[in-house]
Amino acid sequence: MFNIDTLTRKNIRELTPYSSAREEFSGQATVLLDANENPYDTDLNRYPDPFQKELKNAIADLKNVAADQLFIGNGSDEAIDLLFRAFCEPKNSKAYIFPPTYGMYAVSAQINDIEIVRLPLRENFQLPALATIKNEIKSTGLLFICSPNNPTGTVYGLAQIKEMADGFYGLVVVDEAYIDFSSSESALALLDSTPNLVVLQTMSKAWGLAGLRLGIAAASKEIIKVLNKIKPPYNVNTLSQAKGVEVLRNDDLVQQQIKQIQDQRKALRRALQATKGVRKVYPSEANFILAEFDQAAMVFRELQSKGIIIRNRTRLIKNCLRITVGTPQQNKLLITTLKNISR
Ligand SMILES: Cc1ncc(COP(=O)(O)O)c(C=O)c1O
């Protein structure tokens, strides 16, 4: 049975959180002399809303999730770190990951002194069946499923995610940083029926706001309450909150860009498949493509020498490079350069 108290680290359970000035105040104030701010208006002389109400309402409207089931972090990397701090006991809990996957889960686990258990993806980067890993995922802690997965672009079905969550005693974190590029359904649909689920999304990818640092965690109210309790009081700055609301309320351009990137992903995949020296191009539901090359290290170096930077993933997956889908012009230049290298 799911019990938030038994999953929360003891020192966090017992913590009296810092209470910020703006948090205790709601209503119409005319004179603010509580937070030692400079009284002269600079547009930014006041501390930001610690709970980002307007931003959460905009996300809640768009994603069909209650605002009190949302946590906003300084990028989703902050949410990942806070999940470790709140729900993992060093030396006791474990972090389960399915490599090859996003590197921050292991880095964050190590920073927090949590043992990492690696359960490799199977052929074609599929998740192992629950039955085959049941005995290995017995500790509490965090189990990360990245879908679409970075760097493979693979998406995992909701039935499998649900089964995994029901078979695990800790929290299952589904990282959907790239979900807006995918045609598959978001795990947000599982939130109501899955108390130990956390869904991460970000405004860094499809929303075009990597520079703002806005990451989203959606979960039960109880889980969100714990994250709010331990976050730095003003973790999301005023400018980021305002710009985030503006972009969310006018999402036409973003939707057009997503469509364009999806079309380009298809074109780029075909072009790569027709390029000498490319052995295999994996299908992708994200804004990048993983491809296997005859001579990956050489191709990576040659592209780099011509000012084209892609991601070398050869240490994770033999002979593989990861290429972000760019504008039509950027993709064309990449393909022309690749063809010249492999001529
Ligand atoms: C799978 C995945 N999750 C999270 C992030 C980080 O997102 P943010 O910019 O919100 O910290 C990335 C960034 O590359 C990513 O690939």
Side-chain angles (χ1 to χ4, degrees), residues 92-122:
N92 239 333
S93 322
K94 292 189 174 147
Y96 299 96
I97 62 170
F98 298 103
T101 192
Y102 182 48
M104 273 310 284
Y105 315 138
V107 171
S108 221
Q110 207 167 343
I111 290 170
N112 286 288
D113 200 11
I114 306 299
E115 186 187 333
I116 304 152
V117 179
R118 292 181 170 84
L119 307 161
L121 292 172
R122 293 179 306 134

PDB file of all heavy atoms in Angstrom, residues 92-122:
ATOM      1  N   ASN A  92      20.331   3.426   1.944  1.00  0.00           N
ATOM      2  CA  ASN A  92      19.176   2.552   2.091  1.00  0.00           C
ATOM      3  C   ASN A  92      18.362   2.430   0.814  1.00  0.00           C
ATOM      4  O   ASN A  92      18.093   1.341   0.333  1.00  0.00           O
ATOM      5  CB  ASN A  92      18.255   3.139   3.175  1.00  0.00           C
ATOM      6  CG  ASN A  92      18.058   2.168   4.295  1.00  0.00           C
ATOM      7  OD1 ASN A  92      18.146   0.974   4.079  1.00  0.00           O
ATOM      8  ND2 ASN A  92      17.785   2.675   5.484  1.00  0.00           N
ATOM      9  N   SER A  93      17.985   3.591   0.274  1.00  0.00           N
ATOM     10  CA  SER A  93      17.163   3.583  -0.941  1.00  0.00           C
ATOM     11  C   SER A  93      18.063   3.398  -2.152  1.00  0.00           C
ATOM     12  O   SER A  93      19.283   3.545  -2.066  1.00  0.00           O
ATOM     13  CB  SER A  93      16.419   4.908  -1.104  1.00  0.00           C
ATOM     14  OG  SER A  93      15.984   5.399   0.109  1.00  0.00           O
ATOM     15  N   LYS A  94      17.439   3.121  -3.281  1.00  0.00           N
ATOM     16  CA  LYS A  94      18.203   2.951  -4.523  1.00  0.00           C
ATOM     17  C   LYS A  94      17.567   3.752  -5.651  1.00  0.00           C
ATOM     18  O   LYS A  94      16.379   4.071  -5.599  1.00  0.00           O
ATOM     19  CB  LYS A  94      18.261   1.472  -4.894  1.00  0.00           C
ATOM     20  CG  LYS A  94      19.095   0.710  -3.886  1.00  0.00           C
ATOM     21  CD  LYS A  94      19.377  -0.701  -4.284  1.00  0.00           C
ATOM     22  CE  LYS A  94      20.353  -1.295  -3.263  1.00  0.00           C
ATOM     23  NZ  LYS A  94      20.159  -2.687  -3.023  1.00  0.00           N
ATOM     24  N   ALA A  95      18.397   4.051  -6.647  1.00  0.00           N
ATOM     25  CA  ALA A  95      17.888   4.687  -7.861  1.00  0.00           C
ATOM     26  C   ALA A  95      17.987   3.662  -8.976  1.00  0.00           C
ATOM     27  O   ALA A  95      19.070   3.162  -9.281  1.00  0.00           O
ATOM     28  CB  ALA A  95      18.717   5.909  -8.204  1.00  0.00           C
ATOM     29  N   TYR A  96      16.849   3.315  -9.576  1.00  0.00           N
ATOM     30  CA  TYR A  96      16.824   2.333 -10.657  1.00  0.00           C
ATOM     31  C   TYR A  96      16.724   3.066 -11.982  1.00  0.00           C
ATOM     32  O   TYR A  96      15.837   3.908 -12.165  1.00  0.00           O
ATOM     33  CB  TYR A  96      15.620   1.396 -10.483  1.00  0.00           C
ATOM     34  CG  TYR A  96      15.671   0.622  -9.188  1.00  0.00           C
ATOM     35  CD1 TYR A  96      14.983   1.064  -8.055  1.00  0.00           C
ATOM     36  CD2 TYR A  96      16.432  -0.538  -9.092  1.00  0.00           C
ATOM     37  CE1 TYR A  96      15.044   0.360  -6.865  1.00  0.00           C
ATOM     38  CE2 TYR A  96      16.502  -1.252  -7.906  1.00  0.00           C
ATOM     39  CZ  TYR A  96      15.799  -0.798  -6.790  1.00  0.00           C
ATOM     40  OH  TYR A  96      15.870  -1.493  -5.612  1.00  0.00           O
ATOM     41  N   ILE A  97      17.659   2.775 -12.869  1.00  0.00           N
ATOM     42  CA  ILE A  97      17.621   3.429 -14.183  1.00  0.00           C
ATOM     43  C   ILE A  97      17.760   2.383 -15.296  1.00  0.00           C
ATOM     44  O   ILE A  97      18.295   1.302 -15.068  1.00  0.00           O
ATOM     45  CB  ILE A  97      18.713   4.514 -14.332  1.00  0.00           C
ATOM     46  CG1 ILE A  97      20.115   3.915 -14.216  1.00  0.00           C
ATOM     47  CG2 ILE A  97      18.522   5.631 -13.308  1.00  0.00           C
ATOM     48  CD1 ILE A  97      21.218   4.898 -14.590  1.00  0.00           C
ATOM     49  N   PHE A  98      17.272   2.749 -16.476  1.00  0.00           N
ATOM     50  CA  PHE A  98      17.297   1.842 -17.633  1.00  0.00           C
ATOM     51  C   PHE A  98      18.232   2.403 -18.702  1.00  0.00           C
ATOM     52  O   PHE A  98      17.793   3.137 -19.582  1.00  0.00           O
ATOM     53  CB  PHE A  98      15.885   1.675 -18.203  1.00  0.00           C
ATOM     54  CG  PHE A  98      14.900   1.063 -17.241  1.00  0.00           C
ATOM     55  CD1 PHE A  98      13.965   1.843 -16.580  1.00  0.00           C
ATOM     56  CD2 PHE A  98      14.925  -0.311 -17.001  1.00  0.00           C
ATOM     57  CE1 PHE A  98      13.058   1.280 -15.687  1.00  0.00           C
ATOM     58  CE2 PHE A  98      14.026  -0.889 -16.105  1.00  0.00           C
ATOM     59  CZ  PHE A  98      13.089  -0.088 -15.449  1.00  0.00           C
ATOM     60  N   PRO A  99      19.536   2.129 -18.593  1.00  0.00           N
ATOM     61  CA  PRO A  99      20.465   2.697 -19.571  1.00  0.00           C
ATOM     62  C   PRO A  99      20.386   1.991 -20.927  1.00  0.00           C
ATOM     63  O   PRO A  99      20.013   0.805 -20.957  1.00  0.00           O
ATOM     64  CB  PRO A  99      21.828   2.460 -18.910  1.00  0.00           C
ATOM     65  CG  PRO A  99      21.651   1.325 -17.971  1.00  0.00           C
ATOM     66  CD  PRO A  99      20.187   1.283 -17.585  1.00  0.00           C
ATOM     67  N   PRO A 100      20.740   2.658 -22.024  1.00  0.00           N
ATOM     68  CA  PRO A 100      21.220   4.036 -22.066  1.00  0.00           C
ATOM     69  C   PRO A 100      20.083   5.039 -21.874  1.00  0.00           C
ATOM     70  O   PRO A 100      19.062   4.948 -22.533  1.00  0.00           O
ATOM     71  CB  PRO A 100      21.794   4.154 -23.486  1.00  0.00           C
ATOM     72  CG  PRO A 100      21.010   3.156 -24.280  1.00  0.00           C
ATOM     73  CD  PRO A 100      20.701   2.032 -23.354  1.00  0.00           C
ATOM     74  N   THR A 101      20.300   5.981 -20.954  1.00  0.00           N
ATOM     75  CA  THR A 101      19.275   6.990 -20.710  1.00  0.00           C
ATOM     76  C   THR A 101      19.919   8.301 -20.265  1.00  0.00           C
ATOM     77  O   THR A 101      21.151   8.419 -20.227  1.00  0.00           O
ATOM     78  CB  THR A 101      18.245   6.467 -19.673  1.00  0.00           C
ATOM     79  OG1 THR A 101      17.112   7.334 -19.665  1.00  0.00           O
ATOM     80  CG2 THR A 101      18.808   6.388 -18.258  1.00  0.00           C
ATOM     81  N   TYR A 102      19.090   9.267 -19.937  1.00  0.00           N
ATOM     82  CA  TYR A 102      19.554  10.608 -19.552  1.00  0.00           C
ATOM     83  C   TYR A 102      20.522  10.524 -18.363  1.00  0.00           C
ATOM     84  O   TYR A 102      20.228   9.850 -17.365  1.00  0.00           O
ATOM     85  CB  TYR A 102      18.326  11.455 -19.216  1.00  0.00           C
ATOM     86  CG  TYR A 102      18.611  12.886 -18.841  1.00  0.00           C
ATOM     87  CD1 TYR A 102      19.465  13.677 -19.612  1.00  0.00           C
ATOM     88  CD2 TYR A 102      18.010  13.458 -17.728  1.00  0.00           C
ATOM     89  CE1 TYR A 102      19.714  14.989 -19.273  1.00  0.00           C
ATOM     90  CE2 TYR A 102      18.239  14.783 -17.388  1.00  0.00           C
ATOM     91  CZ  TYR A 102      19.097  15.541 -18.160  1.00  0.00           C
ATOM     92  OH  TYR A 102      19.334  16.840 -17.820  1.00  0.00           O
ATOM     93  N   GLY A 103      21.643  11.230 -18.468  1.00  0.00           N
ATOM     94  CA  GLY A 103      22.723  11.082 -17.504  1.00  0.00           C
ATOM     95  C   GLY A 103      22.492  11.667 -16.119  1.00  0.00           C
ATOM     96  O   GLY A 103      23.127  11.257 -15.150  1.00  0.00           O
ATOM     97  N   MET A 104      21.539  12.607 -16.010  1.00  0.00           N
ATOM     98  CA  MET A 104      21.397  13.299 -14.729  1.00  0.00           C
ATOM     99  C   MET A 104      20.843  12.432 -13.609  1.00  0.00           C
ATOM    100  O   MET A 104      21.053  12.728 -12.432  1.00  0.00           O
ATOM    101  CB  MET A 104      20.511  14.553 -14.878  1.00  0.00           C
ATOM    102  CG  MET A 104      21.243  15.812 -15.283  1.00  0.00           C
ATOM    103  SD  MET A 104      22.713  16.184 -14.311  1.00  0.00           S
ATOM    104  CE  MET A 104      21.971  16.807 -12.800  1.00  0.00           C
ATOM    105  N   TYR A 105      20.102  11.356 -13.963  1.00  0.00           N
ATOM    106  CA  TYR A 105      19.558  10.512 -12.886  1.00  0.00           C
ATOM    107  C   TYR A 105      20.706   9.921 -12.066  1.00  0.00           C
ATOM    108  O   TYR A 105      20.682   9.955 -10.835  1.00  0.00           O
ATOM    109  CB  TYR A 105      18.688   9.369 -13.439  1.00  0.00           C
ATOM    110  CG  TYR A 105      17.702   9.778 -14.513  1.00  0.00           C
ATOM    111  CD1 TYR A 105      17.493   8.993 -15.641  1.00  0.00           C
ATOM    112  CD2 TYR A 105      16.984  10.964 -14.396  1.00  0.00           C
ATOM    113  CE1 TYR A 105      16.594   9.372 -16.628  1.00  0.00           C
ATOM    114  CE2 TYR A 105      16.084  11.349 -15.382  1.00  0.00           C
ATOM    115  CZ  TYR A 105      15.906  10.548 -16.503  1.00  0.00           C
ATOM    116  OH  TYR A 105      15.030  10.921 -17.482  1.00  0.00           O
ATOM    117  N   ALA A 106      21.717   9.395 -12.786  1.00  0.00           N
ATOM    118  CA  ALA A 106      22.848   8.776 -12.088  1.00  0.00           C
ATOM    119  C   ALA A 106      23.685   9.837 -11.372  1.00  0.00           C
ATOM    120  O   ALA A 106      24.139   9.626 -10.245  1.00  0.00           O
ATOM    121  CB  ALA A 106      23.701   7.992 -13.071  1.00  0.00           C
ATOM    122  N   VAL A 107      23.863  11.003 -12.002  1.00  0.00           N
ATOM    123  CA  VAL A 107      24.665  12.067 -11.380  1.00  0.00           C
ATOM    124  C   VAL A 107      23.976  12.550 -10.100  1.00  0.00           C
ATOM    125  O   VAL A 107      24.593  12.654  -9.035  1.00  0.00           O
ATOM    126  CB  VAL A 107      24.866  13.247 -12.373  1.00  0.00           C
ATOM    127  CG1 VAL A 107      25.499  14.445 -11.673  1.00  0.00           C
ATOM    128  CG2 VAL A 107      25.720  12.798 -13.563  1.00  0.00           C
ATOM    129  N   SER A 108      22.690  12.793 -10.210  1.00  0.00           N
ATOM    130  CA  SER A 108      21.935  13.280  -9.046  1.00  0.00           C
ATOM    131  C   SER A 108      21.927  12.226  -7.929  1.00  0.00           C
ATOM    132  O   SER A 108      22.034  12.562  -6.749  1.00  0.00           O
ATOM    133  CB  SER A 108      20.499  13.582  -9.485  1.00  0.00           C
ATOM    134  OG  SER A 108      20.047  14.759  -8.902  1.00  0.00           O
ATOM    135  N   ALA A 109      21.810  10.953  -8.320  1.00  0.00           N
ATOM    136  CA  ALA A 109      21.829   9.872  -7.327  1.00  0.00           C
ATOM    137  C   ALA A 109      23.166   9.883  -6.590  1.00  0.00           C
ATOM    138  O   ALA A 109      23.217   9.814  -5.354  1.00  0.00           O
ATOM    139  CB  ALA A 109      21.619   8.522  -8.011  1.00  0.00           C
ATOM    140  N   GLN A 110      24.241  10.015  -7.353  1.00  0.00           N
ATOM    141  CA  GLN A 110      25.574   9.978  -6.747  1.00  0.00           C
ATOM    142  C   GLN A 110      25.792  11.185  -5.822  1.00  0.00           C
ATOM    143  O   GLN A 110      26.345  11.048  -4.743  1.00  0.00           O
ATOM    144  CB  GLN A 110      26.621   9.955  -7.850  1.00  0.00           C
ATOM    145  CG  GLN A 110      27.893   9.288  -7.414  1.00  0.00           C
ATOM    146  CD  GLN A 110      28.799   9.001  -8.598  1.00  0.00           C
ATOM    147  OE1 GLN A 110      28.352   9.005  -9.752  1.00  0.00           O
ATOM    148  NE2 GLN A 110      30.057   8.769  -8.332  1.00  0.00           N
ATOM    149  N   ILE A 111      25.338  12.351  -6.261  1.00  0.00           N
ATOM    150  CA  ILE A 111      25.464  13.552  -5.423  1.00  0.00           C
ATOM    151  C   ILE A 111      24.753  13.325  -4.090  1.00  0.00           C
ATOM    152  O   ILE A 111      25.217  13.750  -3.039  1.00  0.00           O
ATOM    153  CB  ILE A 111      24.871  14.791  -6.154  1.00  0.00           C
ATOM    154  CG1 ILE A 111      25.766  15.177  -7.335  1.00  0.00           C
ATOM    155  CG2 ILE A 111      24.712  15.971  -5.185  1.00  0.00           C
ATOM    156  CD1 ILE A 111      25.169  16.222  -8.253  1.00  0.00           C
ATOM    157  N   ASN A 112      23.637  12.632  -4.154  1.00  0.00           N
ATOM    158  CA  ASN A 112      22.842  12.406  -2.940  1.00  0.00           C
ATOM    159  C   ASN A 112      23.208  11.107  -2.220  1.00  0.00           C
ATOM    160  O   ASN A 112      22.510  10.691  -1.292  1.00  0.00           O
ATOM    161  CB  ASN A 112      21.354  12.413  -3.299  1.00  0.00           C
ATOM    162  CG  ASN A 112      20.849  13.826  -3.577  1.00  0.00           C
ATOM    163  OD1 ASN A 112      20.704  14.633  -2.666  1.00  0.00           O
ATOM    164  ND2 ASN A 112      20.630  14.149  -4.846  1.00  0.00           N
ATOM    165  N   ASP A 113      24.314  10.461  -2.691  1.00  0.00           N
ATOM    166  CA  ASP A 113      24.814   9.244  -2.049  1.00  0.00           C
ATOM    167  C   ASP A 113      23.794   8.108  -2.076  1.00  0.00           C
ATOM    168  O   ASP A 113      23.573   7.417  -1.079  1.00  0.00           O
ATOM    169  CB  ASP A 113      25.234   9.568  -0.598  1.00  0.00           C
ATOM    170  CG  ASP A 113      26.189   8.526  -0.057  1.00  0.00           C
ATOM    171  OD1 ASP A 113      26.672   7.695  -0.851  1.00  0.00           O
ATOM    172  OD2 ASP A 113      26.433   8.518   1.164  1.00  0.00           O
ATOM    173  N   ILE A 114      23.159   7.952  -3.223  1.00  0.00           N
ATOM    174  CA  ILE A 114      22.173   6.886  -3.406  1.00  0.00           C
ATOM    175  C   ILE A 114      22.736   5.877  -4.411  1.00  0.00           C
ATOM    176  O   ILE A 114      23.213   6.262  -5.479  1.00  0.00           O
ATOM    177  CB  ILE A 114      20.839   7.457  -3.986  1.00  0.00           C
ATOM    178  CG1 ILE A 114      20.305   8.610  -3.135  1.00  0.00           C
ATOM    179  CG2 ILE A 114      19.801   6.342  -4.149  1.00  0.00           C
ATOM    180  CD1 ILE A 114      19.980   8.277  -1.716  1.00  0.00           C
ATOM    181  N   GLU A 115      22.682   4.618  -4.057  1.00  0.00           N
ATOM    182  CA  GLU A 115      23.209   3.572  -4.960  1.00  0.00           C
ATOM    183  C   GLU A 115      22.371   3.498  -6.242  1.00  0.00           C
ATOM    184  O   GLU A 115      21.137   3.533  -6.199  1.00  0.00           O
ATOM    185  CB  GLU A 115      23.179   2.215  -4.245  1.00  0.00           C
ATOM    186  CG  GLU A 115      23.840   1.122  -5.055  1.00  0.00           C
ATOM    187  CD  GLU A 115      23.662  -0.249  -4.424  1.00  0.00           C
ATOM    188  OE1 GLU A 115      23.511  -0.332  -3.178  1.00  0.00           O
ATOM    189  OE2 GLU A 115      23.673  -1.234  -5.169  1.00  0.00           O
ATOM    190  N   ILE A 116      23.092   3.381  -7.371  1.00  0.00           N
ATOM    191  CA  ILE A 116      22.405   3.310  -8.661  1.00  0.00           C
ATOM    192  C   ILE A 116      22.340   1.849  -9.110  1.00  0.00           C
ATOM    193  O   ILE A 116      23.356   1.155  -9.123  1.00  0.00           O
ATOM    194  CB  ILE A 116      23.185   4.121  -9.733  1.00  0.00           C
ATOM    195  CG1 ILE A 116      23.360   5.562  -9.256  1.00  0.00           C
ATOM    196  CG2 ILE A 116      22.485   4.074 -11.078  1.00  0.00           C
ATOM    197  CD1 ILE A 116      24.598   6.228  -9.813  1.00  0.00           C
ATOM    198  N   VAL A 117      21.162   1.403  -9.470  1.00  0.00           N
ATOM    199  CA  VAL A 117      21.018   0.055 -10.021  1.00  0.00           C
ATOM    200  C   VAL A 117      20.668   0.192 -11.493  1.00  0.00           C
ATOM    201  O   VAL A 117      19.648   0.787 -11.842  1.00  0.00           O
ATOM    202  CB  VAL A 117      19.920  -0.743  -9.277  1.00  0.00           C
ATOM    203  CG1 VAL A 117      19.775  -2.137  -9.881  1.00  0.00           C
ATOM    204  CG2 VAL A 117      20.242  -0.825  -7.795  1.00  0.00           C
ATOM    205  N   ARG A 118      21.549  -0.345 -12.337  1.00  0.00           N
ATOM    206  CA  ARG A 118      21.339  -0.206 -13.791  1.00  0.00           C
ATOM    207  C   ARG A 118      20.679  -1.455 -14.350  1.00  0.00           C
ATOM    208  O   ARG A 118      21.215  -2.555 -14.216  1.00  0.00           O
ATOM    209  CB  ARG A 118      22.690   0.034 -14.492  1.00  0.00           C
ATOM    210  CG  ARG A 118      23.277   1.389 -14.132  1.00  0.00           C
ATOM    211  CD  ARG A 118      24.608   1.645 -14.834  1.00  0.00           C
ATOM    212  NE  ARG A 118      25.008   3.032 -14.636  1.00  0.00           N
ATOM    213  CZ  ARG A 118      25.640   3.496 -13.575  1.00  0.00           C
ATOM    214  NH1 ARG A 118      25.958   2.666 -12.585  1.00  0.00           N
ATOM    215  NH2 ARG A 118      25.947   4.776 -13.479  1.00  0.00           N
ATOM    216  N   LEU A 119      19.525  -1.276 -14.964  1.00  0.00           N
ATOM    217  CA  LEU A 119      18.777  -2.378 -15.573  1.00  0.00           C
ATOM    218  C   LEU A 119      18.723  -2.082 -17.070  1.00  0.00           C
ATOM    219  O   LEU A 119      17.859  -1.325 -17.514  1.00  0.00           O
ATOM    220  CB  LEU A 119      17.363  -2.450 -14.978  1.00  0.00           C
ATOM    221  CG  LEU A 119      17.295  -2.521 -13.437  1.00  0.00           C
ATOM    222  CD1 LEU A 119      15.926  -2.124 -12.927  1.00  0.00           C
ATOM    223  CD2 LEU A 119      17.649  -3.927 -12.976  1.00  0.00           C
ATOM    224  N   PRO A 120      19.659  -2.639 -17.848  1.00  0.00           N
ATOM    225  CA  PRO A 120      19.781  -2.227 -19.252  1.00  0.00           C
ATOM    226  C   PRO A 120      18.509  -2.459 -20.067  1.00  0.00           C
ATOM    227  O   PRO A 120      17.792  -3.433 -19.837  1.00  0.00           O
ATOM    228  CB  PRO A 120      20.919  -3.093 -19.780  1.00  0.00           C
ATOM    229  CG  PRO A 120      21.630  -3.586 -18.579  1.00  0.00           C
ATOM    230  CD  PRO A 120      20.646  -3.650 -17.475  1.00  0.00           C
ATOM    231  N   LEU A 121      18.261  -1.549 -20.991  1.00  0.00           N
ATOM    232  CA  LEU A 121      17.165  -1.724 -21.944  1.00  0.00           C
ATOM    233  C   LEU A 121      17.457  -2.955 -22.791  1.00  0.00           C
ATOM    234  O   LEU A 121      18.619  -3.328 -22.980  1.00  0.00           O
ATOM    235  CB  LEU A 121      17.033  -0.489 -22.835  1.00  0.00           C
ATOM    236  CG  LEU A 121      16.560   0.791 -22.136  1.00  0.00           C
ATOM    237  CD1 LEU A 121      16.657   1.988 -23.086  1.00  0.00           C
ATOM    238  CD2 LEU A 121      15.124   0.662 -21.621  1.00  0.00           C
ATOM    239  N   ARG A 122      16.402  -3.576 -23.299  1.00  0.00           N
ATOM    240  CA  ARG A 122      16.577  -4.772 -24.122  1.00  0.00           C
ATOM    241  C   ARG A 122      16.782  -4.388 -25.586  1.00  0.00           C
ATOM    242  O   ARG A 122      17.000  -3.221 -25.907  1.00  0.00           O
ATOM    243  CB  ARG A 122      15.365  -5.681 -23.968  1.00  0.00           C
ATOM    244  CG  ARG A 122      15.252  -6.266 -22.562  1.00  0.00           C
ATOM    245  CD  ARG A 122      14.025  -7.146 -22.461  1.00  0.00           C
ATOM    246  NE  ARG A 122      12.833  -6.412 -22.885  1.00  0.00           N
ATOM    247  CZ  ARG A 122      11.902  -6.895 -23.703  1.00  0.00           C
ATOM    248  NH1 ARG A 122      12.013  -8.089 -24.209  1.00  0.00           N
ATOM    249  NH2 ARG A 122      10.848  -6.160 -24.015  1.00  0.00           N
TER     250      ARG A 122
END
